[in-house]
Amino acid sequence: MLNSHLAQATVSGCYIEVNPSQPTELDEVTVFVSLLFRTYAPYVVDFGSVIRNGNVLSVNVTVSVPRSDEYVLQVIHADNFTYQIGKLEAGNYTFQLYIKTINGIEQFWLEKTTEFTVTPIKTMPEFPTGTVFLAILLITTVFAIAHKKQIIN
């Protein structure tokens, strides 16, 4: 069905998923974004690149919206994209999705924010090295020999 549409960009739904859901420092982090629209147009022209400012990751998604005199198709559709973030240091992070519209009314706004935590990897305790290791080995050997002599006597 064709319908006259007042040019205003509305996102019917915005879904953001961080993968893995509980990342560690060893994981390759990705962020999946899905924008749901009720008409065609609007549609995503460019999902943009990730901009990192400390622990804040943001993207500017460009959406083409119809002009006020354009007809649009009444159909629900989703535009999806996966951002390859990579490995992150341990800490708390924020992913922000901004929408910028073009063609119809030009607007810019923060659509959705998602927070996630990257946990540190658990490391094995360090094994003593050098002089400390030799001292421990020597003390252990002396006690073992002394204990063996007590058992013999």
Side-chain angles (χ1 to χ4, degrees), residues 38-67:
R38 287 183 259 162
T39 61
Y40 190 84
Y43 57 89
V44 175
V45 174
D46 183 19
F47 274 97
S49 300
V50 176
I51 301 165
R52 183 170 180 184
N53 186 7
N55 285 12
V56 177
L57 309 167
S58 61
V59 293
N60 298 329
V61 177
T62 304
V63 176
S64 178
V65 297
R67 294 184 318 270

Side-chain angles (χ1 to χ4, degrees), residues 67-87:
R67 294 184 318 270
S68 61
D69 60 345
E70 283 185 283
Y71 288 94
V72 296
L73 184 61
Q74 298 290 317
V75 60
I76 295 174
H77 69 100
D79 290 342
N80 309 313
F81 190 77
T82 300
Y83 296 96
Q84 305 295 326
I85 307 299
K87 293 181 182 180

Side-chain angles (χ1 to χ4, degrees), residues 99-113:
I99 301 286
K100 176 187 175 192
T101 60
I102 60 171
N103 293 338
I105 297 174
E106 293 192 12
Q107 299 173 321
F108 184 78
W109 69 89
L110 175 62
E111 178 66 27
K112 189 164 186 178
T113 298

